[in-house]
Amino acid sequence: MDRIEPALQWNDSPAACLHGLGVSACADCRVRQISVCAALDPHELTEIDSLSHPTAFPAKSTLFTQEDPASAVFNITEGMVRLYKLLPDGRRQIVGFALAGDFLGLALLDRYGVSADAITDTKVCRFSRSAFTAFLDKKPHLLRRLHEFASHELSLAQDQMVLLGRRTADERIAAFLMSLKERFARIGHTSITLPLPMSRQDIADFLGLTIETVSRTFSKLAKSGVIVVVPDGVRLTNLAQIKALATR
Amino acid sequence: MDRIEPALQWNDSPAACLHGLGVSACADCRVRQISVCAALDPHELTEIDSLSHPTAFPAKSTLFTQEDPASAVFNITEGMVRLYKLLPDGRRQIVGFALAGDFLGLALLDRYGVSADAITDTKVCRFSRSAFTAFLDKKPHLLRRLHEFASHELSLAQDQMVLLGRRTADERIAAFLMSLKERFARIGHTSITLPLPMSRQDIADFLGLTIETVSRTFSKLAKSGVIVVVPDGVRLTNLAQIKALATR
DNA sequence: CTGCGACATTGATGCAGGTCAAGCCTGCGC
DNA sequence: GCGCAGGCTTGACCTGCATCAATGTCGCAG
């Protein structure tokens, strides 16, 4: 319900935010921010800045819990967050990983639909929901942009349904690696090794597999030379092969 | 990407639409319509009426196909539609069934994210996307309501992820029956037997199972007295049991 | 009525991935 | 340094669901 993809634009400097597509500058937390609307003028930026509060969440801490009153909207500026749902017996489905630039809580419903906790040490800009929606009410163009985000989010969710309903373990892992790689690339992280800060259990719960199957699949791909497993990440040595698996 | 749940309000008469929460009256296709915004005045209703065109789709016909330019928004007034994605090798994942009152294409993106075709003979109100968005641009309150729909849609998609990733065949079938029952109830259909106009293959492709497993699970539930399978539907004879399975 | 095609059910068998159970690394507290 | 805990990998085995195959049922065209 809550994760929003990073925008197509990523602006590293406040100036770029001011100038282009950026939205909340969150200036006092010297934070890179993500574009949300086609244009906000300097006055509006100042206004939205005043709504935001920088907050840090250490690894493993909870941002919010499913069914909690949705009191805030978050924009991640650093780190990684997992979003998940639990069944009463403890089975867990991770519905997404949120990276720097992603929004949480944009559904703007009364309660959070998922739980969220920090995988790594994480920094966010926090907006109170009431202030955020009040601002939104005055800026229809922003709302429109936000709706596009939500639509994109839904599209991703539907892709994930295909993955969970109809793909093999190999395909799931490959698709996971590809999409994570693309998301990191979009936020400017293009190192040769793809970081995997989440645990094997997290990956398993995201892909509808077990920890053992994830591990075995990594080993298998490594053995066939498609990836190299390194501490806290993988190197994708045969992208074509992975892509083939991912889109088959 | 495109299905939107029927609203909490269902108004059967044009008068109710005019008066209360309803939106598009689609008057000339004498169609029951669904609420989308907190209030539209009579003038607005007349305006949106003029944007809509009644259209009929016979069973098995295609409303639109994934990646097609999204030229229209639809509101189903009668019948049932399946929304799905295909993998290159023909595997199919149905991401949702749309009932009377549901909107299709509300993502308002340039291209449809899924394919849609009619399961039964279906009637819709069709809005050209450009006219619809133009209208929307003038009515921020409508856009806000629409965003809530999309958020709810996303929430449903996430529930479906849990189902596909972490639930057993029995639980999937039970959850499917429960949610379909509730959706039919919400649009005023409360007969003793739950209609299942879609094929076993459709159910299988929605639940990430095979046709045989669906069939066997129905038989098993029937044998244990929880349901009775009838032509084109099931009777839920032990709701508590089904609910227990569905939410376990 | 007969035959045919689409769909559903049921049974027999197979296998991808789950489960159980050792080990093995790595980091950390002492 | 040592021991210990948490995470990861690997192997052996098991099972839930898929696959393959046969049969049944219904609607419809001729």
Side-chain angles (χ1 to χ4, degrees):
Chain A
M1 161 170 307
D2 296 291
R3 181 170 52 96
I4 296 294
E5 270 291 288
L8 308 169
Q9 308 278 338
W10 174 271
N11 299 308
D12 218 301
S13 75
C17 285
L18 275 165
H19 183 64
L21 312 177
V23 60
S24 61
C26 194
D28 58 12
C29 52
R30 58 158 182 31
V31 140
R32 307 175 306 172
Q33 282 291 357
I34 211 65
S35 72
V36 145
C37 70
L40 278 183
D41 64 34
H43 168 68
E44 290 171 328
L45 272 174
T46 308
E47 198 176 342
I48 201 169
D49 270 359
S50 69
L51 303 176
S52 76
H53 306 281
T55 317
F57 291 92
K60 293 174 193 178
S61 64
T62 299
L63 280 76
F64 52 81
T65 302
Q66 188 176 357
E67 306 306 339
D68 278 359
S71 58
V73 173
F74 301 88
N75 182 301
I76 299 176
T77 55
E78 205 182 305
M80 187 182 269
V81 172
R82 68 181 152 236
L83 302 170
Y84 59 94
K85 286 178 173 251
L86 290 174
L87 291 176
D89 63 3
R91 282 175 289 178
R92 181 178 69 156
Q93 179 67 41
I94 291 184
V95 300
F97 297 104
L99 274 57
D102 288 344
F103 277 94
L104 308 178
L106 267 196
L108 303 178
L109 302 177
D110 287 341
R111 294 179 177 274
Y112 294 116
V114 299
S115 301
D117 44 48
I119 291 174
T120 64
D121 290 346
T122 297
K123 290 179 181 150
V124 305
C125 264
R126 184 185 187 283
F127 301 86
S128 97
R129 182 166 81 106
S130 53
F132 193 83
T133 56
F135 183 71
L136 229 45
D137 284 342
K138 294 184 293 183
K139 315 286 175 190
H141 60 305
L142 232 184
L143 182 55
R144 178 60 198 274
R145 187 92 177 88
L146 195 144
H147 178 63
E148 279 168 26
F149 271 94
S151 299
H152 181 230
E153 194 65 3
L154 180 55
S155 177
L156 291 181
Q158 290 172 336
D159 288 342
Q160 191 69 2
M161 285 190 221
V162 178
L163 182 146
L164 293 169
R166 289 293 178 229
R167 302 182 95 108
T168 66
D170 291 5
E171 292 167 358
R172 293 180 200 205
I173 294 285
F176 169 66
L177 294 177
M178 279 308 300
S179 84
L180 199 60
K181 179 189 153 71
E182 275 159 24
R183 291 182 63 197
F184 271 122
R186 202 148 9 129
I187 62 173
H189 180 114
T190 52
S191 101
I192 177 80
T193 61
L194 178 66
L196 294 178
M198 72 290 283
S199 71
R200 293 292 190 263
Q201 187 64 64
D202 287 339
I203 299 174
D205 286 346
F206 181 57
L207 299 179
L209 300 170
T210 60
I211 195 178
E212 293 94 335
T213 299
V214 171
S215 188
R216 271 188 256 271
T217 305
F218 275 138
S219 300
K220 188 171 122 188
L221 291 176
K223 207 161 296 175
S224 65
V226 175
I227 63 173
V228 178
V229 180
V230 298
D232 297 320
V234 290
R235 191 163 316 173
L236 310 183
T237 42
N238 186 340
L239 254 193
Q241 182 66 29
I242 296 175
K243 201 170 294 186
L245 264 178
T247 57
R248 161 162 49 177
Chain B
M1 162 170 305
D2 296 292
R3 183 169 51 96
I4 295 295
E5 270 292 288
L8 308 168
Q9 309 277 339
W10 174 272
N11 299 308
D12 217 302
S13 74
C17 284
L18 276 165
H19 183 64
L21 311 178
V23 58
S24 61
C26 197
D28 58 11
C29 51
R30 60 163 179 29
V31 140
R32 307 175 307 173
Q33 283 290 354
I34 210 66
S35 73
V36 144
C37 71
L40 278 183
D41 64 34
H43 167 69
E44 290 171 329
L45 272 174
T46 308
E47 198 176 342
I48 201 169
D49 270 0
S50 70
L51 304 176
S52 75
H53 305 281
T55 318
F57 291 92
K60 294 174 190 177
S61 63
T62 299
L63 280 75
F64 51 81
T65 302
Q66 188 175 357
E67 305 305 340
D68 277 358
S71 58
V73 173
F74 301 88
N75 183 302
I76 299 175
T77 55
E78 205 182 305
M80 187 182 268
V81 171
R82 68 181 153 238
L83 302 170
Y84 60 93
K85 286 179 174 252
L86 290 174
L87 291 176
D89 63 4
R91 282 175 287 179
R92 182 178 69 158
Q93 179 67 39
I94 291 184
V95 299
F97 296 105
L99 275 56
D102 288 345
F103 277 95
L104 309 179
L106 268 195
L108 303 179
L109 302 177
D110 285 341
R111 294 178 177 275
Y112 294 117
V114 297
S115 301
D117 43 46
I119 291 173
T120 63
D121 290 346
T122 296
K123 289 178 182 151
V124 305
C125 263
R126 183 185 189 283
F127 302 86
S128 97
R129 177 167 158 259
S130 54
F132 192 83
T133 56
F135 182 72
L136 229 45
D137 284 343
K138 294 183 293 182
K139 314 287 174 187
H141 59 307
L142 231 183
L143 182 56
R144 179 60 198 274
R145 187 91 177 87
L146 194 144
H147 178 64
E148 279 169 26
F149 272 93
S151 299
H152 182 232
E153 195 63 4
L154 180 56
S155 178
L156 291 182
Q158 290 172 336
D159 289 341
Q160 191 68 2
M161 284 191 222
V162 178
L163 182 147
L164 293 170
R166 287 295 178 229
R167 302 184 97 107
T168 66
D170 290 5
E171 292 167 357
R172 293 180 201 205
I173 294 285
F176 169 65
L177 294 177
M178 280 308 300
S179 85
L180 199 58
K181 178 188 153 70
E182 274 159 25
R183 292 182 63 197
F184 270 121
R186 201 149 7 129
I187 61 173
H189 179 113
T190 53
S191 101
I192 177 80
T193 59
L194 178 66
L196 294 178
M198 71 291 281
S199 71
R200 293 290 188 266
Q201 186 64 65
D202 287 338
I203 299 174
D205 286 347
F206 181 56
L207 300 179
L209 300 170
T210 59
I211 195 178
E212 293 94 334
T213 299
V214 171
S215 188
R216 272 188 254 271
T217 305
F218 275 138
S219 300
K220 187 171 123 189
L221 291 176
K223 207 161 294 176
S224 66
V226 175
I227 62 173
V228 178
V229 179
V230 298
D232 298 319
V234 290
R235 193 164 313 172
L236 310 183
T237 42
N238 187 340
L239 255 193
Q241 183 66 31
I242 296 176
K243 202 172 292 186
L245 265 177
T247 58
R248 161 161 49 180

